[in-house]
């Protein structure tokens, strides 16, 4: 069996990548170990602003917005940020559990008719000059031009490719679970002690007069820090009970768990996101503590950075070297997430010195400029790929401007729905000719009368024209002198087609 690309793992990263490749006309298949599509248990609790923008660029943000709850849910060091007033159409986070996020993504991938080999594991692979033979747990194998490991933190693909995964070992270990309690605890909510942070709370709630009101019965969410670090087996009810007794002196008769999982503060990142014809993305490339809710966001955005590049290489539009820009751009972003989550872990400690440090940082974040910058970082809106010197938009996300075109009003993100590159001429209509790339790039003449505001940076000078990549990042900014345009078009979208 043959596909142009095989993706190991159909979590959020794998599904996003499959969607991107399919939009670009690539024959891609997912191999997913889980036999059923549904994710059991809870991991991510929502989506931050940039991830919502990324979904908006593909025309699927509404599906998530229809099910989630808008909230101001970014923060750092105990300081909450409010994105209201940020120059984005989504100045908020969206509360929506990962099982729902995955269900919605699965619906999209299904519409795009991505084949999924379910209940099957990738067990190994061998790559040669022209492709990869991917071994499956049912004894079959798949031949592909490229294999992408989106197979989570314990990634077999990463290990089998021999990609190093340096970083820090865990210093804390937490159990997180949903279960029933036979007794009602005297206190609900968060407890902090020398061991770490713990929490007990009802799962079910309703919104009354704009406020969350928790149910007084039903399942309970438990978060408890374990006394010992280093357990690698699947957590059990007796592990959970023991951890509760250590912290609360009782397990409140805990029973009937629907799921129990363990997470730690280990932070590791792949030394390379590519080894020949094998690439990795999402948790396979980086693991870190859940602080700030950044894991799923980073994985989805890895996928959107990689998808169009891999598609162009598979289609022979661009040389293989385009794939190196995936590591060059996304590795620093992953490293930054590791850095801020590691800092968050330290800042959670309850000793006097750490409290003093936390208060000091909170004071700094009380100032406008640091607060704006950190809010832009934690929401992913400030991501900047180093594409060289130039206009501040270069290497940053294209804002979703309200344009006026000859066909009427149009949002920029609508022009990105089919994941094709976009050349936007906001100057004299007809001023630019990119016909040698017309088979790949849509040229739109448009007017935009408003200001150009970027998150964290503020107002920037209005450009005459911009070249926008399918991932929504700006690859060239310029004017009618067209300086550097041919080079940018060739770098990102391949050589010109002969007339
Ligand atoms: C307690 C907790 C809270 C979190 N909270 C947040 C949050 O609030 N916000 C946030 O953004 N992130 C959060 N995360 C992180 C988020 O869950 C992950 O970053 C995200 O799931 C990564 O997606 P992924 O697709 O890269 O990997 P995964 O979701 O791990 O998906 C990998 C997939 O690959 C499959 N697989 C594995 N091995 C193989 C194989 N050999 N062959 C075939 N298939 C295979 C697995 O079955 C799985 O479906 C949290 C995580 C935890 C543990």
């Amino acid at each position: 069996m043959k596909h142009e690309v095989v993706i190991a793992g159909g979590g959020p990263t794998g599904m996003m990548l499959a969607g991107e490749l399919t939009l670009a006309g690539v024959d891609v298949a997912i191999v997913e170990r889980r036999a059923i599509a549904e994710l059991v248990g809870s991991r991510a609790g929502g989506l931050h602003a940039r991830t919502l923008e990324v979904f908006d660029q593909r025309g699927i943000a509404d599906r998530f917005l229809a099910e989630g709850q808008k909230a101001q849910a970014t923060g750092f060091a105990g300081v909450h940020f409010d994105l209201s007033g940020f120059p984005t159409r989504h100045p908020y986070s969206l509360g929506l559990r990962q099982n729902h996020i995955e269900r919605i993504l699965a619906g999209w991938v299904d519409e795009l008719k991505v084949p999924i080999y379910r209940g099957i594991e990738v067990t190994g692979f061998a790559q040669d000059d022209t492709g990869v033979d991917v071994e499956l747990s049912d004894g079959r194998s798949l031949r592909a031009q490229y294999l992408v490991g989106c197979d989570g933190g314990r990634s077999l693909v990463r290990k089998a490719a021999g990609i190093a995964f340096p970083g820090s070992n865990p210093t804390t270990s937490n159990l997180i679970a949903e279960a029933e309690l036979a007794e009602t605890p005297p206190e609900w909510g968060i407890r902090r002690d020398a061991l770490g942070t713990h929490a007990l709370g009802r799962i079910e709630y309703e919104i009354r007069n704009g406020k969350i009101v928790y149910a007084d019965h039903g399942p309970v969410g438990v978060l408890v820090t374990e006394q010992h670090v280093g357990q690698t087996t699947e957590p059990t009810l007796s592990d959970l009970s023991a951890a509760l007794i250590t912290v609360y002196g009782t397990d409140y008769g805990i029973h009937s768990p629907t799921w129990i999982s363990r997470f730690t503060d280990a932070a590791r990142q792949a030394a390379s996101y590519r080894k020949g014809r094998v690439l990795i993305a999402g948790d396979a490339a980086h693991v870190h503590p859940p602080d700030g809710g950044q894991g799923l966001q980073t994985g989805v955005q890895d996928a959107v950075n990689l998808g169009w590049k891999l598609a162009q290489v598979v289609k022979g539009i661009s040389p293989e070297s385009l794939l190196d820009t995936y590591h060059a751009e996304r590795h620093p972003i992953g490293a930054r997430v590791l850095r801020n989550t590691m800092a968050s872990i330290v800042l959670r400690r309850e000793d006097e010195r750490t409290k003093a440090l936390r208060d000091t940082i909170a004071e700094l974040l009380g100032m406008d400029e640091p607060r704006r910058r950190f809010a832009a970082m934690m929401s992913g809106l400030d991501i900047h790929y180093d594409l060289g010197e130039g206009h501040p938009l270069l290497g940053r996300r294209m804002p979703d401007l309200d344009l006026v075109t000859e066909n009427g009003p149009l949002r920029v993100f609508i022009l990105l729905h089919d994941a094709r590159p976009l050349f936007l001429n906001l100057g004299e209509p007809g001023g630019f000719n990119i016909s040698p790339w017309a088979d790949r790039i849509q040229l739109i003449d448009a007017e935009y009368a408003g200001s150009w505001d970027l998150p964290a940076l503020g107002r920037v000078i209005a450009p005459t024209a911009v070249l926008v990549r399918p991932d929504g990042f700006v690859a060239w900014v310029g004017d009618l002198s067209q300086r550097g345009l041919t080079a940018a078009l060739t770098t990102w979208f391949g050589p010109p087609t002969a007339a």
Side-chain angles (χ1 to χ4, degrees), residues 261-284:
S261 62
R262 177 177 277 124
F263 70 92
T264 73
D265 64 347
R268 294 184 171 273
Q269 189 177 21
S272 170
Y273 283 15
R274 174 179 171 216
K275 183 101 177 247
R277 293 180 167 271
V278 177
L279 297 119
I280 50 175
D283 277 15

Side-chain angles (χ1 to χ4, degrees), residues 9-14 31-34 43-46 98 102 120-122 150-152 156 176 263 281-283 290 293-297:
T13 308
V31 181
E32 168 53 53
R33 177 166 66 193
R34 287 183 339 228
R43 296 176 71 183
Q98 185 163 339
E102 292 200 14
I120 295 173
E121 264 179 61
V122 169
C150 300
D151 48 347
L156 175 132
I176 182 164
F263 70 92
D283 277 15
Q294 302 168 85
L296 183 149
Q297 333 290 321

Side-chain angles (χ1 to χ4, degrees), residues 12 39 41-53 55 64-65 67-74 92-102 104-105 205 288 290-301 378-380:
L39 174 74
S42 175
R43 296 176 71 183
L47 300 167
H48 290 316
R50 179 58 191 160
T51 315
L52 288 165
E53 285 193 342
F55 290 147
F64 298 90
L65 291 169
E67 292 198 31
Q69 282 173 322
K70 292 178 187 170
Q72 293 300 340
T74 54
Y92 41 74
S93 300
L94 190 76
L96 186 64
R97 296 218 163 129
Q98 185 163 339
N99 51 341
H100 299 302
I101 297 170
E102 292 200 14
I104 294 168
L105 277 174
Y205 65 87
H288 50 80
D291 298 63
Q294 302 168 85
L296 183 149
Q297 333 290 321
T298 310
V300 165
Q301 291 173 47
M378 299 308 287
S379 58

